[in-house]
Amino acid sequence: MARRLSLGLALGLLFAAATAGAAHAAGIGALEMRPDGHGGQTYTMPVQLLLLMAGLVFLPAILMTMTSFTRIIIVLSLLRQALGLTQTPPNQVLIGLALFLTLFVMGPIFSRVGNDALQPLLDNKISAEDAVTKAQGPLRDFMVKQTRRDDLGLFVKLAGNQGFQSAADVPFSILVPAFVTSELKTGFQIGFLIFLPFLVIDIVVAAVMMSLGMMLLSPTSVSLPLKLALFVLVNGWTLVIGSLAEGFLR
């Protein structure tokens, strides 16, 4: 298997080299760099498309580690477990709900990125490097606002106890893990508060059934309808989703 992978990699490199050589000989210039008019250099369109396709690989990681997706999906998963449901709602529904709720929460940030970085880049007013720098600002502000100071201090200490003048000086290599750790902690705290009322229902139902001598009937089969009825009566989905959104928009 290793020899086949090595052979395939070698053939791929040879094919890429031959293609690049043929394109250069034909005058296509697919792998050339050209001056951008601002003292720098820019890549030709095929290389830009190649870099764009490579960047799309990191899009799921960016979505899960630099947005509100992590906290939302954790809270929704814990809510399903608190209700005593294993497959309802299905994972696809929870992920879709978390995704669109993330787009709603991150809408203002994405709008700032589009106005400050993407649109000027498409209009050839700024270079790709400047667009990346401008796009980092809104995301950095969002993550710094949601990151706990102790989590950020922990990763700053692990990175070598470097001193930073402000949050704008903290690199993404430190800010991103601190943000994810803080989101995990916040998500589990919210999940604990969601579990409490349903846990009380389970305890009350189990105590009542034991006092009545109903040993052959599972307490779960009795407490599950009660938990669903309570959740529907208090309009639970609206409360949970609204609280999640307000926690990011405040």
Side-chain angles (χ1 to χ4, degrees):
M1 181 63 68
R3 294 182 60 184
R4 291 181 181 179
L5 291 176
S6 301
L7 180 61
L9 180 60
L11 292 176
L13 292 176
L14 290 176
F15 178 76
T19 304
H24 181 74
I28 298 177
L31 300 178
E32 294 180 353
M33 291 188 300
R34 300 174 182 175
D36 58 359
H38 302 284
Q41 291 181 332
T42 181
Y43 294 98
T44 54
M45 184 59 65
V47 179
Q48 294 181 7
L49 291 177
L50 179 62
L51 295 176
L52 178 61
M53 295 298 294
L56 291 178
V57 177
F58 298 95
L59 187 59
I62 294 174
L63 176 66
M64 290 186 291
T65 58
M66 300 175 65
T67 64
S68 58
F69 182 83
T70 301
R71 184 193 303 184
I72 294 172
I73 192 63
I74 287 176
V75 172
L76 294 180
S77 299
L78 291 177
L79 172 62
R80 184 175 65 179
Q81 294 183 15
L83 288 171
L85 304 172
T86 57
Q87 298 295 330
T88 304
N91 292 330
Q92 295 84 349
V93 175
L94 290 183
I95 294 175
L97 178 59
L99 177 60
F100 280 98
L101 188 56
T102 300
L103 294 178
F104 172 78
V105 171
M106 302 295 294
I109 291 93
F110 291 155
S111 297
R112 289 178 56 191
V113 172
N115 296 330
D116 299 341
L118 182 59
Q119 192 60 44
L121 177 63
L122 296 178
D123 296 337
N124 293 325
K125 295 181 179 179
I126 58 176
S127 62
E129 291 80 4
D130 294 335
V132 172
T133 303
K134 290 181 178 295
Q136 290 179 0
L139 288 175
R140 182 186 298 275
D141 295 340
F142 171 78
M143 288 192 292
V144 168
K145 183 179 179 181
Q146 302 297 329
T147 304
R148 302 170 187 266
R149 290 185 176 272
D150 54 347
D151 295 330
L152 184 59
L154 171 63
F155 283 95
V156 169
K157 180 180 179 181
L158 293 176
N161 204 7
Q162 304 174 5
F164 299 102
Q165 298 295 331
S166 62
D169 300 329
V170 179
F172 272 86
S173 59
I174 297 177
L175 182 58
V176 171
F179 170 74
V180 174
T181 304
S182 182
E183 287 295 284
L184 290 173
K185 185 183 299 183
T186 305
F188 277 97
Q189 287 178 349
I190 298 174
F192 171 74
L193 295 177
I194 292 176
F195 255 97
L196 286 180
F198 300 113
L199 180 61
V200 172
I201 293 177
D202 288 333
I203 294 175
V204 171
V205 170
V208 171
M209 292 183 63
M210 184 175 295
S211 64
L212 295 177
M214 303 173 64
M215 301 298 183
L216 300 179
L217 184 61
S218 174
T220 304
S221 60
V222 178
S223 63
L224 179 58
L226 295 178
K227 289 189 289 187
L228 290 178
L230 175 64
F231 190 70
V232 172
L233 289 175
V234 300
N235 204 2
W237 286 112
T238 302
L239 291 176
V240 173
I241 294 176
S243 299
L244 284 173
E246 289 178 359
F248 288 104
L249 298 178
R250 284 183 298 184

